């Protein structure tokens, strides 16, 4: 379709109205009679609740409702729970612990909801929340993973004295032990992957309304999957049919995985709207969000990589403890530690792999999916081990990767851990990226940095990830009698640019001008079914569903066109939006056919009037986006300040629908990976108090923290879906985390400084340099990598 077809860099059509402030976010909607809600949260990480007295608060002017955990209506609510069965190390069922929507007997993390106050104004709701008297019996807290797994650790739950909710294993333990036992070299390393939070531009929030006549709730909320939220809140919490809830998520200002869950505030607002007989709005403040938005990552990993005398990988053993927070209350905090561990195999031939992942409970906010959801962590582990092996064996890091890389000719390739890669050319990613990054010129750049008193390091990551699969997605294509078309999908657009990408797909397949296509999403009353947007799945799943519907449109249109042109149906070809009688110049376009479809007198016998079709896709098989990222950093040896000076990436995201939007996804993902590597960090003190509870304390990267990104592409379409796409949403983060940390530790390793764990803050790096011996601290060349 000319400049708007598949493969064209069409600008996002959403940007102009968003930049003009014309978006429609939750807080932009004002309902008639709307009341405001405030949540009273626990100030303690671990405490018994001795008494809650809300009498004074309930009597205050303008207060409509105060809910506490022991109120009858709150107690009637159902609880969320994990659905995937898991086991502890001894084979017993996993220890599950559903979180009450309002705490009752005990609080287990700072920020846990204790009371929900609804008043005429937000100020009055806040005043009433302060008037609630809560008597706590403060208890010792377990605030970090290392303390939680230590011998004789305090228990977060008495029924789970070792704080280990479940253990997940994969791979061949015996084969790994045998290979490591005979390996010429075994590299061992312990890694800490720090805790983050999403800090989305739009805070979490909701607006709940209740229609008594229909006994029906409408909930506008900041979510990534409206249909999943509807199912959970209706069937699991309120015990009603899904049709009794309508979930609306129009513009959502960023999600990154964190907005995929059903949070207590949404449930409480829906309940309060029914009890108060008024619409109820709750919008998180930043301090609330930092406490109560799902956190992410937070792993301790011990890994061993075995190699033979020639530097060939023999086996990989990984043991990880994942901090899931105070409650194992759903599959969300179990997902990242388990769903994507196959990424540990990386892009390499590793004959034997074994992984053991244990979910650990602490007195902290729960963790959940965040951009990559286990993929960046797994990629960081294998890429760190490869770099350490290269340093130990005196082999160039690029050469060691080259020596062990899965060749394109071996595809499809079954790894030793979970996945079978259907396609990809990992070697080309590496070689293209090395050339684009001028890897050969690094030694000269390093000498130039040395002359200015700087340390310079380079870091490579060659990674593969996996998109989500097996979750259905739905699309509808509906023409109206004028020939205009509405496309509705069950995925959600919260910054990805779906309105543009999906128009390109429909415009390309049906030959419809983009201005005649309306895109619809985010309202469970308007789209029959859906799953949502996460895990780089949307274009694969919704795009395929749209193609299924489009093929039905073409099939019906062909029958109508044949009748209108008095030709045989088998003689009709469809191309570029027109039905053509083969071998002639006789044609009719799809718009004309659509208009005719609504005129029964013009239709052939036994054909239903109208032109609207649906497509539902099973989710299909996983796709495997992959790429190579190379970072260069400079370090000021006197201050430890780290500066990202070069960044190069070559990615294979399958068939590229819109290069401009793919580049934007990669830029955003890289920024989040760099942020974690160098500065972002959620920190609790020993008592469980959040020390990074404001933007003054939680460091996020700004534009000045980045260099220009040089991007290339290696387009290897997959055959697992008709579009050939693999997904691009996570790739930047997966590649950036290990690439940047490898660069930092490459620079430090050259002066004999110890390994620095993320985030590589200035202070950590400065201390590492000081820990090096005075002689090795001098900026000197490293023969095995500069030769």
């Amino acid at each position: 379709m000319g400049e708007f077809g598949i493969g064209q860099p069409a600008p996002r059509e959403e940007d102009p109205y968003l930049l003009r402030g014309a978006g429609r976010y939750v807080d932009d909607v004002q309902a008639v009679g709307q009341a405001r809600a405030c949540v009273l949260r626990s100030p303690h990480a671990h405490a018994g609740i001795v008494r809650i007295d809300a009498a004074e608060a309930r009597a205050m002017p303008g207060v409509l409702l105060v809910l506490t955990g022991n109120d009858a209506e709150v107690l009637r609510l159902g609880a969320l729970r994990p659905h995937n069965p898991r086991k502890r190390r001894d084979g017993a069922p996993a220890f599950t612990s559903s979180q009450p929507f309002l705490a009752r007997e005990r609080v287990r993390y700072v920020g846990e909801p204790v009371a929900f106050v609804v008043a005429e104004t937000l100020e009055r709701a806040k005043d009433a929340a302060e008037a609630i008297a809560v008597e706590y019996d403060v208890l010792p807290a377990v605030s970090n993973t290392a303390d939680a797994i230590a011998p004789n650790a305090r228990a977060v739950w008495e029924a789970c004295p070792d704080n280990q909710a479940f253990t997940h294993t994969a791979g061949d333990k015996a084969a790994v032990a045998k290979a490591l036992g005979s390996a010429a070299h075994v590299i061992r390393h312990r890694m800490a992957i720090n805790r983050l939070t999403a800090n989305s531009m739009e805070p979490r929030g909701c607006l709940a309304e209740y229609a008594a006549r229909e006994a029906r709730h409408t909930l506008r909320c900041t979510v990534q999957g409206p249909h999943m939220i509807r199912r959970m809140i209706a069937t699991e919490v309120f015990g009603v049919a899904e049709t009794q809830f309508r979930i609306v998520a129009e513009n959502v200002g960023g999600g990154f995985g964190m907005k995929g869950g059903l949070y207590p505030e949404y449930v409480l607002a829906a309940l309060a709207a029914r009890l108060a007989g008024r619409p109820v709005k709750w919008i998180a403040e930043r301090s609330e969000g930092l406490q109560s938005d799902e956190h992410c990552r937070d792993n301790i990993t011990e890994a061993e990589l075995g190699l033979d005398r020639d530097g060939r990988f023999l086996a990989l053993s990984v043991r990880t403890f994942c901090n899931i927070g105070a409650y194992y209350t759903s599959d969300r905090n179990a997902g990242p530690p388990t769903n994507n561990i196959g990424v540990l195999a990386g892009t390499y031939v590793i004959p034997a792999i074994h992984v053991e992942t244990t979910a650990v409970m602490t007195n902290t906010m729960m963790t959940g999916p965040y951009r990559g959801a286990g993929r960046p962590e797994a990629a960081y582990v294998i890429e760190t081990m490869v770099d350490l092996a290269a340093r130990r064996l005196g082999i160039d890091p690029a050469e060691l990767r080259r020596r062990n890389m899965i060749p394109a000719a071996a595809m499809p390739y079954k790894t030793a851990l979970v996945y079978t890669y259907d396609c990809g050319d990992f070697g080309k990613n590496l070689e293209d990226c090395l050339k684009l990054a001028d890897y050969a010129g690094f030694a000269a750049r390093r000498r130039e940095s040395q002359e200015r008193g700087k340390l310079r390091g380079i870091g490579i990551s060659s990674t593969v990830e996996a998109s989500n699969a097996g979750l259905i997605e739905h699309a509808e294509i509906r023409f109206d009698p004028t020939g205009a078309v509405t496309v509705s999908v069950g995925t959600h657009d919260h910054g990805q640019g779906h309105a543009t990408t999906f128009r390109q797909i429909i415009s390309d397949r049906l030959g419809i001008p983009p201005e005649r296509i309306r895109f619809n999403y985010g309202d469970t009353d308007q789209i029959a079914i859906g799953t949502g947007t996460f895990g780089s799945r949307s274009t694969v799943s919704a795009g395929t569903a749209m193609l299924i519907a489009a093929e039905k449109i073409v099939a019906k249109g062909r029958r109508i066109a044949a009748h209108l042109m008095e030709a045989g149906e088998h003689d009709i070809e469809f191309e570029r939006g027109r039905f053509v009688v083969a071998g002639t110049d006789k044609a009719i376009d799809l718009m004309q056919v659509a208009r005719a479809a609504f005129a029964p007198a013009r239709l052939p016998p036994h054909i239903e009037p109208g032109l609207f079709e649906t497509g539902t896709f099973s989710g299909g098989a996983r796709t495997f986006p992959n790429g190579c990222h190379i970072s260069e950093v400079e370090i000021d040896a006197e201050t430890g300040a780290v500066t990202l000076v070069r960044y190069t990436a070559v990615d294979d995201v399958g068939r590229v629908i819109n290069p401009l939007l793919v580049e934007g996804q990669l830029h955003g993902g890289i920024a989040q990976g760099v942020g974690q590597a160098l500065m972002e960090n959620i920190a609790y003190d020993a008592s469980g108090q959040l020390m990074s509870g404001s933007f003054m304390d939680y460091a996020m990267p700004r534009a000045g923290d980045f260099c220009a990104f040089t991007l290339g592409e290696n387009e290897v379409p997959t055959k697992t879906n008709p579009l050939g796409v693999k997904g691009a949403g996570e790739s930047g983060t997966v590649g950036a985390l290990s690439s940047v940390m490898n660069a930092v530790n490459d620079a430090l390793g050259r002066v004999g400084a110890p390994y620095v764990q993320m985030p590589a803050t200035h202070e950590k790096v400065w201390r590492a340099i000081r820990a090096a011996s005075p002689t090795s601290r001098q900026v000197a060349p490293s023969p095995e990598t500069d030769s």
Side-chain angles (χ1 to χ4, degrees):
M1 267 306 286
E3 295 182 357
F4 204 79
I6 288 176
Q8 298 300 317
R12 295 197 338 166
E13 68 88 24
E14 308 97 307
D15 289 344
Y17 80 81
L18 291 175
L19 291 171
R20 291 194 303 269
R24 190 173 170 87
Y25 298 90
V26 168
D27 207 18
D28 292 324
V29 180
Q30 307 298 323
V32 177
Q34 168 183 295
R36 295 299 301 266
C38 175
V39 180
L40 177 66
R41 301 184 181 276
S42 168
H44 305 292
H46 196 195
I49 299 177
V50 178
R51 180 180 64 91
I52 300 178
D53 185 352
E56 181 182 346
R58 290 185 171 113
M60 292 177 70
V63 173
L64 304 174
L65 182 70
V66 177
L67 294 173
T68 63
N70 287 316
D71 289 345
E73 292 288 351
V74 176
L75 290 170
R76 289 192 186 99
L77 297 171
L80 299 178
R81 59 182 178 81
H83 291 276
N84 292 328
R86 303 188 187 278
K87 294 183 178 181
R88 286 169 48 84
R89 187 175 282 105
D90 61 4
F95 174 77
T96 60
S97 48
S98 293
Q99 180 187 9
F101 297 109
L102 288 171
R104 292 193 287 271
E105 298 174 355
R106 190 174 291 194
V107 291
R108 287 185 166 84
Y109 65 93
V110 169
E112 183 166 2
V114 174
F116 192 78
V117 182
V118 180
E120 296 285 356
T121 67
L122 180 58
E123 291 73 20
R124 288 185 169 181
K126 288 182 175 181
D127 289 344
E130 288 185 4
I132 298 173
V134 185
E135 183 181 342
Y136 293 101
D137 176 18
V138 180
L139 302 169
V142 183
S143 62
N144 63 69
T145 312
D147 289 346
I149 62 176
N152 303 314
R154 296 188 182 95
V156 176
W157 293 83
E158 287 82 354
C160 186
D162 62 1
N163 294 318
Q164 298 180 19
F166 64 82
T167 294
H168 178 87
T169 62
D172 190 333
K173 188 174 184 178
V176 168
K178 182 178 179 180
L180 290 176
S182 61
H185 307 279
V186 178
I187 312 301
R188 297 179 177 88
H189 186 55
R190 186 176 188 269
M191 288 156 274
I193 298 175
N194 57 315
R195 177 178 281 230
L196 306 178
T197 188
N199 282 322
S200 54
M201 186 175 291
E202 181 193 17
R204 287 192 300 114
C206 64
L207 172 60
E209 300 179 72
Y210 182 74
R213 187 182 71 174
E214 304 172 79
R216 192 164 191 260
H217 297 265
T218 296
L219 183 66
R220 294 179 177 271
C221 50
T222 51
V223 297
Q224 300 178 216
H227 292 84
M228 291 195 302
I229 296 300
R230 181 181 66 173
R231 184 189 70 246
M232 288 189 289
I233 196 170
T235 62
E236 296 184 33
V237 178
F238 283 86
V240 299
E242 284 192 54
T243 51
Q244 297 309 110
F245 269 84
R246 177 191 180 193
I247 307 297
V248 181
E250 294 181 273
N251 293 124
V252 172
F256 311 114
M258 179 272 288
K259 288 180 181 169
L262 176 60
Y263 287 84
E265 298 90 352
Y266 307 160
V267 171
L268 296 168
L271 175 62
R274 175 168 66 82
L275 297 178
R278 299 268 294 274
V280 173
K281 177 184 282 187
W282 171 80
I283 304 293
E285 297 183 351
R286 285 296 175 188
S287 58
E288 282 188 285
L290 284 158
Q291 288 182 354
S292 63
D293 293 349
E294 280 179 345
H295 296 167
C296 57
R297 317 285 201 232
D298 202 348
N299 300 347
I300 293 176
T301 295
E302 297 167 348
E304 295 178 279
L305 177 65
L307 303 90
D308 67 14
R309 297 187 184 280
D310 297 320
R312 304 282 182 180
F313 300 157
L314 299 175
L316 175 68
S317 174
V318 178
R319 187 184 185 206
T320 296
F321 293 94
C322 305
N323 188 342
I324 64 171
Y327 295 91
Y328 176 28
T329 191
S330 76
D331 293 313
R332 288 186 60 75
N333 50 2
T338 60
N339 290 347
N340 296 299
I341 59 174
V343 173
L344 282 163
T347 58
Y348 309 111
V349 176
I350 308 177
I353 307 176
H354 181 260
V355 183
E356 178 186 274
T357 299
T358 299
V360 177
M361 309 189 78
T362 60
N363 292 113
T364 63
M365 178 60 197
M366 282 70 73
T367 54
Y370 172 70
R371 201 166 194 166
R375 304 169 185 86
E377 300 95 303
Y380 174 71
V381 170
I382 180 60
E383 290 303 298
T384 297
M385 297 303 291
V386 174
D387 253 34
L388 291 174
R391 193 171 304 152
R392 173 82 64 83
L393 274 62
I395 301 174
D396 180 84
E399 171 55 29
L400 186 60
R401 287 173 169 84
R402 189 181 287 121
R403 196 172 295 181
N404 287 280
M405 197 157 281
I406 300 166
M411 299 294 177
Y413 183 82
K414 176 72 174 71
T415 74
L417 191 68
V418 184
Y419 295 148
T420 297
Y421 305 147
D422 64 295
C423 66
D425 192 339
F426 307 148
K428 187 174 187 299
N429 292 344
L430 176 64
E431 301 306 330
D432 287 356
C433 198
L434 291 171
K435 183 177 180 180
L436 203 60
D438 186 22
Y439 188 74
F442 172 71
R445 293 192 296 277
R446 181 176 176 275
R447 285 191 292 270
E448 189 274 331
S449 294
Q450 178 184 344
E451 291 170 1
R452 293 184 286 106
K454 307 283 187 180
L455 308 179
R456 194 178 187 107
I458 192 165
I460 304 174
S461 68
S462 174
T463 56
V464 64
E465 51 144 330
S467 70
N468 282 86
L471 301 171
I472 67 170
E473 206 51 77
H474 183 75
E476 300 175 8
I477 301 176
R478 184 173 68 250
F479 284 83
D480 64 31
T482 70
V485 65
T486 297
V487 177
S488 301
V489 296
T491 54
H492 189 274
D493 186 342
H494 42 276
Q496 291 81 4
H498 292 170
T500 304
T501 303
F502 292 171
R503 276 191 176 95
Q504 287 180 266
I505 293 171
I506 293 299
S507 183
D508 190 273
R509 180 64 188 98
L510 296 181
I512 302 169
E515 63 272 12
R516 296 187 67 85
I517 303 171
R518 178 177 176 271
F519 176 58
N520 187 29
Y521 71 98
D523 187 336
T524 59
D525 271 10
Q526 296 188 37
I527 299 102
I529 54 177
T531 296
T533 295
F534 51 87
S536 300
R537 69 180 298 274
S538 294
T539 305
V540 172
S541 299
T544 300
M546 286 190 295
L547 287 184
I548 292 170
E551 294 308 314
K552 294 178 183 178
I553 291 287
V554 171
K556 184 174 182 178
R558 182 179 284 112
R559 295 174 61 194
I560 297 172
H563 178 75
L564 294 174
M565 292 188 289
E566 299 180 339
E569 186 179 335
H570 61 280
D571 291 327
I572 303 296
E573 298 175 348
F574 182 73
E575 55 185 36
R576 301 180 64 83
R578 302 169 72 241
F579 294 96
V580 181
V581 179
T584 75
D585 59 358
K586 197 171 185 181
I588 185 172
D589 68 38
L590 180 56
M591 297 299 181
Q592 294 172 288
V593 170
R595 287 191 286 269
F598 290 90
R602 302 184 63 191
L603 296 177
H606 311 300
I607 192 166
E608 183 180 3
L611 192 58
F612 25 79
E613 297 290 350
T614 65
T616 304
F617 181 53
S618 67
R622 288 186 183 273
T623 64
F624 298 96
N626 55 88
C628 180
H629 291 224
I630 299 178
S631 300
E632 285 186 41
V633 299
E634 270 194 347
I635 298 175
D636 186 322
E638 296 302 316
T639 66
V642 179
T643 303
L644 184 67
V645 292
R646 291 170 70 101
Y647 196 99
T648 310
V650 173
D651 279 282
D652 167 18
V653 300
R655 189 183 187 190
V656 176
I657 304 297
N658 186 319
L660 190 63
L661 299 191
V662 167
E663 185 173 300
Q665 286 289 308
L666 290 170
H667 281 196
I670 291 167
Q672 288 179 284
V674 173
Q676 177 173 5
L678 298 183
M679 62 191 72
E680 292 189 56
N681 192 48
I682 283 284
Y684 288 94
D685 68 12
S687 68
Q689 288 296 321
L690 183 62
M691 295 189 293
S692 51
S694 75
F695 284 174
M696 292 292 291
D697 306 298
Y698 187 97
M700 285 186 293
R702 302 182 181 185
D705 295 307
F706 299 103
C707 58
F709 301 153
T710 302
L711 303 183
E713 62 183 41
N714 179 19
E715 195 170 337
V716 182
T718 179
K719 295 180 181 179
T720 61
N721 63 77
L723 284 167
V725 298
K726 295 178 179 177
E730 331 286 327
S731 299
T733 310
V734 174
L737 200 61
S738 47
S739 171
V740 172
M741 287 303 295
N742 280 347
V744 170
N745 282 294
D746 175 60
L748 294 176
R750 293 172 188 271
V751 295
Y755 190 93
V756 167
Q757 305 283 1
M758 67 179 79
T761 61
H762 300 354
E763 180 184 356
K764 281 187 186 177
V765 172
W766 179 83
R767 291 187 182 279
I769 295 171
R770 300 280 77 75
S773 67
T775 53
S776 64
R777 201 183 295 167
Q778 303 302 312
V779 183
S782 177
E784 71 271 17
T785 52
D786 270 3
S787 58

